[in-house]
Every structure is written in structure tokens, then in C-alpha cells.
Amino acid sequence: MEIPFAPLAPSGVLSLMPTLFCGQCFRWRETEPGLFAGCSGTSPALIRQTENGVEISSAAPPAYWRRYFDLDTDYPAILRSFTGRHPFTEAALSYGAGLRVLRQEPWEALCSFLVSQCNHIGRIRQILDDLCRLFGKTYSWGGQVFFAFPSPTTLAALSLDDLAPLRAGYRAKYLLSAARHVADNPDFFSELAALPLKEARAAISALPGVGVKVADCFLLFGLHKLDAFPVDTWMKKAASYYDPPLSADAFGPYAGIAQQYIFYYIRSIESAGKGQSRW
DNA sequence: TGCCAGGCCGAAA
DNA sequence: TTTCGGCATGGC
């Protein structure tokens, strides 16, 4: 049976490859060239990039995915505010054209970056896929099987032994403590979202395994606080690519967006140097 | 075999 | 306040 696709974004507005594979999320996969399968919340979707733009097939209403891809935020205006900062930034903005910072489910984003610490992209994806396959609800759409991200309540009821098959190492205990905290405080994320960046950062940093890096990644990718700026050792290592060093001060309230374009660009340079294919 | 990976934690200086 | 070893795991 033919799968119905509906227009989501016109050409030039949203580019799926940089958006889904820039390191802000880990569970989308490209099932065939230009076609991507993934799940947000309880909503599986197939999304494809065509010459006319992006089209989507999902049971969830278009408004859900418009919000997920942040299509009601004026990215051209934001990106214009970055012009003139530095030639390296200009190159990054050009390279990642169409990249948008997703409005992911906060719980999934928190878990994703707890798992990400001191880990490879491939293993992050593997661990999160296994987590969903083992403990998430199953959905089918378009002839494909999808696994939703398990809820905090579901994970809170598990033990370290239950998580052992994930091979997540010391990160497993961070997942469990976060799950138990959120399960005990159902309004945790909505309360954090209402706080200013500094206070929200302090609150999320109180969880075990959440340091400066995980906190800022969560604030940017989970709570869509666009001024969060997840500088990390990797970014510092890459400082040789730009002078003066990258600073959140240079990008104002949208430092997180600028950072992500630059991060994506640097990753491409590093991968090319190693002779690796797209990550 | 050794190093590294979108780090964090706790102890020591 | 900064520095540093340990922490789990697996790919290269």
C-alpha cells in the first residue's frame, strides 16, 4: 500500500541530513537515500527530502512535526545575525545550511547526553537503540517497526542488572538515577523550562552524571534554550580551526545554534581527515 | 597494545 | 580553585 506523504517544509527551509545527523539526536536512520525513519515521543514517522522540500508520513498531526523541527522559528533572521563574526563561522553556516535545532522530548535528550559522555557516536546510537528496543513500546508505520523511547517510570522500575545488556558501562547508573528523579517529580522538565538558563543549568546539574557539558546539551537540545552553549574538550581541541577562539558572547541569545553549525562543520573536517564516511 | 570517544566524580594539591 | 586518576565499553 502506498504510504501517504504530506508536505512539511518547502525547499531550502529544512535539510534533513545536517539536522538529523549533526549530533543533537541519535535515533533517526536513513533507510534509503533521502528517506529517514524515526520516532519522537509516541509518534513514528517517515520523512523524505525531495527537490521540492521535505515531506512526512506520520499519524501525528503536522503541527507536532512543525514544532519538532522548529519550523516556526525564523532561522534566516537568526543566522543573519551571525554574519561578519568570522570566516570560519561563515563556512560553517554554509556547510550546514538547513540545520535546525530540534525540539526533542526533554527526557530522551537528557538520556541521550548522559549516554554520550566519553563515548563514540556509533555506540551512543547503539546503546539508545537497544534501550528503546528492550524497554520501549513498539509501533508500526509504513511497514516498518519503531520503538518509542521508554518513559521515566518504565526505566525507574528497572535495575542495573536489567540495563546490563545495553553495555552502557558506568552511564547506566546515571540513567537510573535520572529516571527515578523524573518519575518522582513529573513536572520536573516543565519547571526547568520555565527557569532562566542559569537556574535551569543549576537544577539539571544536580543530577548524578550531569556536568557542564551534559547540562548544556540538555538545555539546548532538550529544553530548546538557544542561548545554551555546550563548549567541551572536543570544541577546544578544534580551536586550531578558528582565531579568536569560539565564544558564546559573540553569538548572543542564539549561541547554541551557532555552536551546533560550527560543531557539525568541524566534525566533517575531522572525519574527512580520518578518511571516514559520513557519521 | 594503546588511544580515544560531544565527561563526570571525588580526592588531592 | 585547578588538576588528575578512575570509571565501562568497544572501535580503530
Side-chain angles (χ1 to χ4, degrees):
Chain A
M1 186 179 74
E2 187 72 14
I3 308 168
F5 277 84
L8 180 66
S11 179
V13 170
L14 167 63
S15 184
L16 294 177
M17 187 60 75
T19 297
L20 300 179
F21 298 96
C22 68
Q24 64 175 322
C25 60
F26 301 95
R27 295 220 301 129
W28 288 89
R29 65 186 189 278
E30 189 176 24
T31 58
E32 58 184 78
L35 179 65
F36 303 85
C39 191
S40 175
T42 59
S43 304
L46 297 172
I47 309 181
R48 66 188 181 195
Q49 188 96 42
T50 75
E51 58 185 19
N52 296 323
V54 173
E55 300 174 341
I56 188 164
S57 174
S58 172
Y64 178 86
W65 294 107
R66 283 195 62 81
R67 183 180 186 282
Y68 181 80
F69 285 102
D70 202 25
L71 295 177
D72 294 320
T73 295
D74 189 353
Y75 274 65
I78 293 172
L79 300 181
R80 279 197 301 273
S81 74
F82 299 152
T83 58
R85 302 295 183 191
H86 190 277
F88 187 84
T89 304
E90 306 287 341
L93 296 180
S94 175
Y95 178 78
L99 187 163
R100 305 183 78 94
V101 174
L102 301 171
R103 291 181 182 269
Q104 301 181 61
E105 297 292 332
W107 169 237
E108 177 171 346
L110 175 59
C111 292
S112 296
F113 286 95
L114 282 172
V115 168
S116 79
Q117 64 180 265
C118 204
N119 216 341
H120 296 273
I121 296 284
R123 281 198 68 231
I124 297 168
R125 297 175 64 89
Q126 184 64 57
I127 290 170
L128 293 173
D129 280 347
D130 287 344
L131 179 70
C132 296
R133 181 174 50 80
L134 290 174
F135 306 113
K137 291 183 178 178
T138 304
Y139 297 90
S140 62
W141 185 259
Q144 297 195 40
V145 176
F146 297 80
F147 298 98
F149 203 87
S151 70
T153 305
T154 297
L155 284 195
L158 301 177
S159 67
L160 284 176
D161 284 343
D162 293 325
L163 296 187
L166 303 179
R167 310 296 292 168
Y170 58 84
R171 308 167 192 86
K173 61 180 181 291
Y174 298 149
L175 292 176
L176 284 190
S177 60
R180 288 164 184 165
H181 181 82
V182 177
D184 290 341
N185 301 273
D187 298 326
F188 182 61
F189 292 127
S190 59
E191 291 172 354
L192 258 59
L195 294 174
L197 177 67
K198 188 175 180 180
E199 295 175 34
R201 180 184 290 131
I204 195 64
S205 298
L207 296 183
V210 179
V212 290
K213 169 64 185 311
V214 174
D216 267 0
C217 284
F218 164 74
L219 292 166
L220 175 58
F221 303 125
L223 293 187
H224 209 252
K225 291 187 179 296
L226 300 180
D227 46 346
F229 190 80
V231 173
D232 62 311
T233 54
W234 199 96
M235 291 290 285
K236 292 174 183 172
K237 183 183 73 174
S240 60
Y241 293 113
Y242 44 81
D243 183 33
L246 184 61
S247 167
D249 297 336
F251 301 105
Y254 302 109
I257 294 179
Q259 181 274 160
Q260 195 58 15
Y261 272 82
I262 293 167
F263 176 82
Y264 181 59
Y265 183 48
I266 292 174
R267 285 296 304 239
S268 76
I269 296 172
E270 297 275 307
S271 296
K274 295 176 182 175
Q276 295 177 342
S277 60
R278 184 174 62 213
W279 53 278

